Amino acid sequence: MAFMKKYLLPILGIFLAYYYYSAKEEFRPEMLRGKRVIVTGASKGIGREMAYHLARMGAHVVVTARSEESLKKVVSHCLELGASSAHYVAGTMENMTFAEQFVAKAGKLMGGLDMLILNHITSSNNPMTVFIDDIDHVRKSMEVNFLSYVVLSGAAMPMLKQSNGSIVVVSSIAETAMTGTAGIYNAEASPKEECALEIIKGGALRQKEVYYDSSVLTPFLLGNPGRKIMEFLSLRNYNMEIFINN
Ligand SMILES: NC(=O)c1ccc[n+]([C@@H]2O[C@H](COP(=O)([O-])OP(=O)(O)OC[C@H]3O[C@@H](n4cnc5c(N)ncnc54)[C@H](OP(=O)(O)O)[C@@H]3O)[C@@H](O)[C@H]2O)c1
Ligand SMILES: *[C@@H]1O[C@H](CO)[C@@H](O)[C@H](O)[C@H]1NC(C)=O
Ligand SMILES: *[C@@H]1O[C@H](CO)[C@@H](O)[C@H](O)[C@H]1NC(C)=O
């Protein structure tokens, strides 16, 4: 108890203060005007809403997903909303060659890249049995939901370095899990439009993490203050300049 009072509480206080005072730069929609942005999984759901928000802010967008017909509609609506430009490239993120070539194509269409928003997920009919009896399904999920993210990020890195751009990764307790586990996990699915806007704001302000939830406790708990303290303490032992430059 004495240890806690003497050290832990003050440290926690410092981190909380840092957390609340550091992330207070104001978001302005102009921040996205003329920016070149990729949105994956943009044929429906949160991805599509992000594309529409970006279009309203005057960004260039390239959207992708598997369903070409839906993507066509998303692109034409983006143009109506005021996008500087809007294109789509259809394909599946199960195919890593497609993932890599997609980024190159998008870069060519927009003449570079400022923001890569990774949002697609493979849908699962029965999320609770995935890890029990279907290893092929687990492997496919890992490829679409994880490996393709690595491939896309790697392919985009040279362009993002040139533009001092950013990567935004979306993840969650997905809607499928919410309906699939009704009664186990009790939460309402969040409104997509608002959620999409919060993600874009977080990306534009280069926030390390954004939690979209109505509860004030969620950001704190998911933010994992213990991990942040450990990161802070252990990073002091590294010379990150040398690490990054090599
Ligand atoms: N819904 C929620 O309540 C919620 C809450 C918080 C966070 N999230 C997160 O938000 C993100 C989007 O979720 P969502 O609910 O908007 O999902 P969604 O409506 O199911 O959309 C998923 C998108 O991914 C695409 N996709 C699926 N399989 C693909 C594949 N093999 N290759 C390429 N694209 C593929 C889909 O298009 P095609 O089928 O045309 O390929 C679709 O555009 C996810 O990362 C999710 O974890 C969701
Ligand atoms: C994967 O994508 C590439 C590039 O789009 C394509 O040439 C190739 O045929 C695809 N592979 C499969 C198995 O569909
Ligand atoms: C790149 O962005 C970071 C973070 O916003 C900023 O600190 C840095 O000065 C920028 N660098 C250049 C070359 O614009």
Side-chain angles (χ1 to χ4, degrees):
M1 255 342 259
F3 170 79
M4 239 183 86
K5 272 201 187 126
K6 217 167 168 182
Y7 299 104
L8 217 49
L9 289 182
I11 289 177
L12 210 64
I14 290 168
F15 271 86
L16 279 179
Y18 175 75
Y19 179 80
Y20 282 107
Y21 287 106
S22 60
K24 289 303 176 208
E25 193 196 347
E26 281 284 314
F27 172 79
R28 288 167 288 111
E30 303 87 78
M31 285 173 166
L32 274 309
R33 188 178 300 145
K35 294 285 186 222
R36 300 153 298 178
V37 188
I38 284 176
V39 186
T40 71
S43 64
K44 58 180 176 178
I46 294 169
R48 181 171 59 186
E49 296 308 322
M50 287 194 282
Y52 291 163
H53 280 302
L54 289 161
R56 281 185 205 103
M57 294 168 192
H60 296 272
V61 291
V62 175
V63 293
T64 186
R66 291 166 304 175
S67 23
E68 189 163 1
E69 284 313 307
S70 310
L71 289 174
K72 265 185 198 158
K73 287 181 195 151
V74 173
V75 162
S76 69
H77 194 46
C78 280
L79 291 170
E80 281 167 24
L81 291 172
S84 285
S85 73
H87 295 92
Y88 74 85
V89 183
T92 175
M93 291 300 168
E94 289 167 67
N95 180 344
M96 299 308 146
T97 312
F98 168 75
E100 199 170 347
Q101 292 180 0
F102 161 69
V103 172
K105 270 187 200 160
K108 260 206 184 119
L109 284 166
M110 299 188 286
L113 184 66
D114 296 292
M115 191 183 279
L116 172 66
I117 303 184
L118 301 173
N119 163 78
H120 62 277
I121 42 162
T122 184
S123 55
S124 165
N125 318 327
N126 198 344
M128 282 305 167
T129 57
V130 153
F131 293 103
I132 300 170
D133 59 5
D134 191 350
I135 198 67
D136 287 332
H137 187 94
V138 176
R139 186 174 289 122
K140 190 184 144 197
S141 297
M142 288 300 286
E143 278 175 358
V144 175
N145 300 354
F146 174 69
L147 272 184
S148 75
Y149 279 45
V150 179
V151 171
L152 291 160
S153 304
M157 202 52 83
M159 286 190 284
L160 291 174
K161 273 189 179 160
Q162 207 162 52
S163 64
N164 202 11
S166 47
I167 299 178
V168 175
V169 179
V170 183
S171 81
S172 92
I173 302 162
E175 199 162 36
T176 42
M178 287 203 185
T179 49
T181 62
I184 300 173
Y185 180 79
N186 289 303
E188 277 177 45
S190 310
K192 291 189 180 74
E193 301 76 12
E194 199 182 301
C195 176
L197 186 59
E198 289 309 311
I199 297 169
I200 291 168
K201 283 184 185 173
L205 296 174
R206 298 185 90 98
Q207 284 174 15
K208 208 169 170 187
E209 290 166 348
V210 173
Y211 306 100
Y212 183 79
D213 191 298
S214 50
S215 159
V216 286
L217 253 183
T218 310
F220 180 72
L221 293 175
L222 283 179
N224 198 343
R227 187 197 74 200
K228 288 198 176 119
I229 294 171
M230 288 304 295
E231 256 177 29
F232 175 77
L233 293 176
S234 57
L235 276 181
R236 287 189 317 179
N237 300 327
Y238 291 85
N239 187 333
M240 290 309 276
E241 280 305 302
I242 294 177
F243 181 71
I244 289 165
N245 291 332
N246 289 337

